[in-house]
Amino acid sequence: MSFAFDVKATVGRARAGTLNTPRGAVETPVFMPVGTLATVKALDPDELRAMHAQIILSNTYHLHLRPGDDLIRGLGGLHRFMGWHGPILTDSGGFQVFSLASLNAVTEDGVTFRSHIDGSERHFTPESVMGIETNLGADIIMQFDHVVPGQSDRAAAHDASERSIRWLERCRTEFARIKADSTENQALFPIVQGGTFADLRRDAAARIASAGDWHGIAIGGLSVGEAKPAMHEIMEVCDEALPRDKPRYLMGVGFPEDLIEGVARGVDLFDCVAPTRMGRNNAAFTSNGRLNLRNAVHRADDRPIEEGCGCACCRRFSRAYLRHLVRAEEMLGPRLLSLHNVHFLIGMMRRARAAILDGTFGTWSRDWLARYHSSPNQPEHS
Amino acid sequence: MSFAFDVKATVGRARAGTLNTPRGAVETPVFMPVGTLATVKALDPDELRAMHAQIILSNTYHLHLRPGDDLIRGLGGLHRFMGWHGPILTDSGGFQVFSLASLNAVTEDGVTFRSHIDGSERHFTPESVMGIETNLGADIIMQFDHVVPGQSDRAAAHDASERSIRWLERCRTEFARIKADSTENQALFPIVQGGTFADLRRDAAARIASAGDWHGIAIGGLSVGEAKPAMHEIMEVCDEALPRDKPRYLMGVGFPEDLIEGVARGVDLFDCVAPTRMGRNNAAFTSNGRLNLRNAVHRADDRPIEEGCGCACCRRFSRAYLRHLVRAEEMLGPRLLSLHNVHFLIGMMRRARAAILDGTFGTWSRDWLARYHSSPNQPEHS
């Protein structure tokens, strides 16, 4: 089986589809758990399968630095290395070199930066990133792009968007060169940049869409510090400018409410570290907002995190037990909270898909957001 | 089903038996994983069941301090709280108040100590410990005892042994009083003390054995700093002095080689934090000694920790992947190593049992120890 995308139903901008990949079909909209360093933090592949994770993401920048993409290639590739045999998507490191690494310097050739681990100087180019991503062997690989902060001015956003489009061409050429010698079946996704400027986004989306018969197109540079209404507007602009027959992947988003807002604006794929990061910070997603399991209110509470939740945490353990684990700093605490949170987002996207297929997505999403936002559990974003 | 013990076969001092408990049968010899704070560190109950753990241990001292035995009782007891529905044994806190807590002061009444968590002053008596252990609701509960270090002189060992025997009577009286009002079916095990002095051990074992029709008898105060030959001698003395028809539990032991030596000297039950503690320190047990997964030699090693091992770590992951997890400080690293190590000790005891049943334990154990000790992997004990 190769790559193909099929939209099964729509409600407004929202779409229910199927993305076929060489390692299996992905039903969209879908949340992709993030396995930054070849492990979804605190979870193992069996747990991911049990919660019906369909595709996971891993990080080019991180794996290049440690343990090294050459090593992973030598051990049979990322799927075998981490014991996950379903589809994998790797990002390009663009976001990380501009956010995590220090002293990054952009030229037309690429980006020079210092590793956040040992301070060593490194250089990423569109060509070198294609080399890393083909070494890792993910099913979907991202172009190397230039990401700017959400508050960037028009000139900076324009500059980064144009550079990303030029780098896309170099990625495509290098990827084709490598593919000529390879039996691996990988798909290269371009990334639409352009900051919070609708005209830049519209222009980039149209030019990228017409530049090739991509298997999917990503929207990058959102959820990087801009206001929510700006993010929502850009999602709508991209929905209108991008071809309807390709999957759209909104990079690095998000929290539960962001996923609903994204689906409502035509996005098909999402990824975010939020569920595992929140889990390590004692927080659990529920349909009535977020719980902090450290709070004394849970001390003797025999209920699960969420009544009716079928995850391996809620089926077995009480809030009281989770509070005990968290306070005692037992590893099982963040593990169970991460498990519940990832399960929560995966299940949310499955229900969104069902609501699109049966035509009820409009009311379902309105009700969902109203309940979530009105909850006394809902804290500030952290 | 109530408590009963049946010896099926012997080879020399070694015994293969079955210990029936109200929550299921335990085939001996057996290793009991330790869930100090109502969780076997890094593992969940499903993983323990999958590796055929039959009975686990939890800690009275720790659970009394956090989250509190009253809370656990209110939530339906320890089994329900931690999601483990097989047999549980709780220790009495004797070892912890003398080793972990500060400022402990022993009188005939009990021990006054300061909590290692918040420094608060606490007092344990034989009666209060019976209250805590019946609140927790484990199937097998231990008497409150007086533990002295392995290098203690004869007077100190004698004093602690005599006090432990007096406290056993108080435990029994209080336990009977509580049981009269309870439907819980728990068994109280006495503990033989006496340090490294054969005559003290022999005397204590005989007096304890004749003092009641116990469902099992523990050997305490070993593996607390004494030399290995002294430990082996005391195990032999206890084997001779204890009734053959009762299970013997050697508390807090041990490492793989200690378990084999213990089985060869008539011990039926073992517990130790070693497999999970070693797992959190990057070490893995193998039949050829111990591996440190941080070492560079594992960098590109595609083999599992142990060839042929059926655990959920070795079936899926390479030494290279484990080394990567350990270096990147990913939670999955200590989790998988803990899983392998506990599986290793459980499997070792299952094979020892099979060798006793088919009469080959003598050669099997000699071969096992020779291979383990001759391995270049075998480091110093830590």
Side-chain angles (χ1 to χ4, degrees), chain B residues 40-339:
Chain B
V40 176
K41 286 188 193 302
L43 303 180
D44 89 345
D46 286 346
E47 287 166 323
L48 293 169
R49 275 185 284 273
M51 65 175 79
H52 307 294
Q54 303 182 72
I55 172 171
I56 65 173
L57 182 141
S58 203
N59 287 98
T60 292
Y61 166 87
H62 289 285
L63 292 174
H64 173 67
L65 294 183
R66 191 167 58 187
D69 48 286
D70 284 333
L71 180 78
I72 291 176
R73 183 197 179 98
L75 290 163
L78 186 55
H79 297 83
R80 185 161 182 277
F81 186 62
M82 69 184 291
W84 170 262
H85 302 290
I88 302 178
L89 181 152
T90 44
D91 71 359
S92 66
F95 178 74
Q96 283 77 21
V97 298
F98 291 108
S99 60
L100 272 185
S102 58
L103 292 173
N104 58 70
V106 189
T107 66
E108 189 58 25
D109 181 58
V111 183
T112 302
F113 59 95
R114 290 197 183 280
S115 157
H116 75 287
I117 299 175
D118 61 7
S120 60
E121 188 171 294
R122 310 279 180 141
H123 189 63
F124 271 7
T125 65
E127 291 77 15
S128 73
V129 165
M130 288 299 100
I132 297 169
E133 292 197 79
T134 50
N135 275 347
L136 295 173
D139 305 277
I140 298 172
I141 71 175
M142 304 304 298
Q143 75 153 101
F144 188 52
D145 60 337
H146 185 175
V147 185
V148 291
Q151 303 88 348
S152 298
D153 65 17
R154 185 183 171 84
H158 182 254
D159 179 58
S161 173
E162 292 297 320
R163 181 164 300 106
S164 295
I165 292 173
R166 292 192 297 275
W167 284 357
L168 172 60
E169 277 311 306
R170 286 169 55 190
C171 284
R172 176 154 63 170
T173 303
E174 176 68 4
F175 181 56
R177 189 189 69 74
I178 296 171
K179 264 181 105 166
D181 296 330
S182 161
T183 57
E184 283 292 322
N185 194 352
Q186 298 180 290
L188 171 67
F189 278 23
I191 303 173
V192 174
Q193 292 289 352
T196 53
F197 302 93
D199 59 329
L200 296 185
R201 290 280 183 174
R202 199 174 291 118
D203 176 63
R207 283 160 60 199
I208 288 169
S210 67
D213 187 23
W214 313 106
H215 292 300
I217 299 176
I219 304 166
L222 288 181
S223 202
V224 289
E226 78 286 0
K228 290 262 168 171
M231 178 165 98
H232 295 166
E233 185 206 345
I234 295 301
M235 281 158 38
E236 291 173 10
V237 166
C238 289
D239 173 54
E240 284 152 25
L242 289 173
R244 311 227 144 262
D245 60 344
K246 306 288 184 196
R248 295 91 170 263
Y249 159 35
L250 180 58
M251 302 181 77
V253 176
F255 283 85
E257 63 275 28
D258 299 327
L259 265 63
I260 302 281
E261 301 282 8
V263 171
R265 290 170 177 81
V267 174
D268 305 298
L269 298 99
F270 301 86
D271 80 283
C272 193
V273 297
T276 46
R277 181 172 289 165
M278 300 305 299
R280 294 196 305 285
N281 286 309
N282 316 321
F285 296 142
T286 83
S287 52
N288 292 303
R290 220 187 289 164
L291 299 181
N292 183 337
L293 270 301
R294 249 196 117 79
N295 288 346
V297 68
H298 306 302
R299 182 178 171 278
D301 194 333
D302 200 32
R303 293 176 299 167
I305 293 172
E306 174 123 289
E307 298 282 359
C309 173
C311 85
C313 174
C314 289
R315 278 190 279 108
R316 299 179 293 173
F317 302 112
S318 64
R319 295 181 187 188
Y321 182 63
L322 292 162
R323 176 171 187 267
H324 162 65
L325 294 177
V326 161
R327 288 182 71 226
E329 297 181 1
E330 285 286 348
M331 216 179 291
L332 188 57
R335 175 178 160 191
L336 291 173
L337 293 176
S338 298
L339 189 153

Side-chain angles (χ1 to χ4, degrees), chain A residues 36-47 49 63 66-67 71 75 80-83 280 299-302 312 315-318 320-322 324-325 327-332 334-336, chain B residues 36-47 49 63 66-67 71 75 80-83 280 299-302 312 315-318 320-322 324-325 327-332 334-336:
Chain A
T36 306
L37 276 158
T39 161
V40 176
K41 286 189 194 299
L43 303 181
D44 88 345
D46 286 347
E47 287 166 324
R49 274 184 284 274
L63 293 175
R66 191 168 57 186
L71 180 79
L75 290 163
R80 186 162 182 275
F81 186 61
M82 69 184 292
R280 295 197 303 286
R299 182 179 173 278
D301 193 333
D302 200 31
R315 277 191 280 107
R316 299 179 293 173
F317 302 111
S318 64
Y321 183 62
L322 292 162
H324 162 64
L325 294 177
R327 288 181 72 225
E329 295 180 4
E330 285 286 347
M331 217 179 291
L332 188 58
R335 175 178 160 190
L336 291 173
Chain B
T36 305
L37 276 157
T39 160
V40 176
K41 286 188 193 302
L43 303 180
D44 89 345
D46 286 346
E47 287 166 323
R49 275 185 284 273
L63 292 174
R66 191 167 58 187
L71 180 78
L75 290 163
R80 185 161 182 277
F81 186 62
M82 69 184 291
R280 294 196 305 285
R299 182 178 171 278
D301 194 333
D302 200 32
R315 278 190 279 108
R316 299 179 293 173
F317 302 112
S318 64
Y321 182 63
L322 292 162
H324 162 65
L325 294 177
R327 288 182 71 226
E329 297 181 1
E330 285 286 348
M331 216 179 291
L332 188 57
R335 175 178 160 191
L336 291 173

Side-chain angles (χ1 to χ4, degrees), chain A residues 121-169:
Chain A
E121 188 171 293
R122 310 279 180 142
H123 189 63
F124 271 7
T125 65
E127 291 78 16
S128 74
V129 165
M130 289 299 100
I132 297 169
E133 292 197 80
T134 50
N135 275 347
L136 295 173
D139 305 277
I140 298 172
I141 71 175
M142 303 306 297
Q143 76 153 101
F144 189 52
D145 61 337
H146 185 173
V147 185
V148 291
Q151 304 87 346
S152 298
D153 65 17
R154 185 184 170 83
H158 182 253
D159 179 58
S161 173
E162 292 298 321
R163 181 165 298 105
S164 295
I165 292 173
R166 291 192 297 274
W167 283 357
L168 173 59
E169 277 311 307

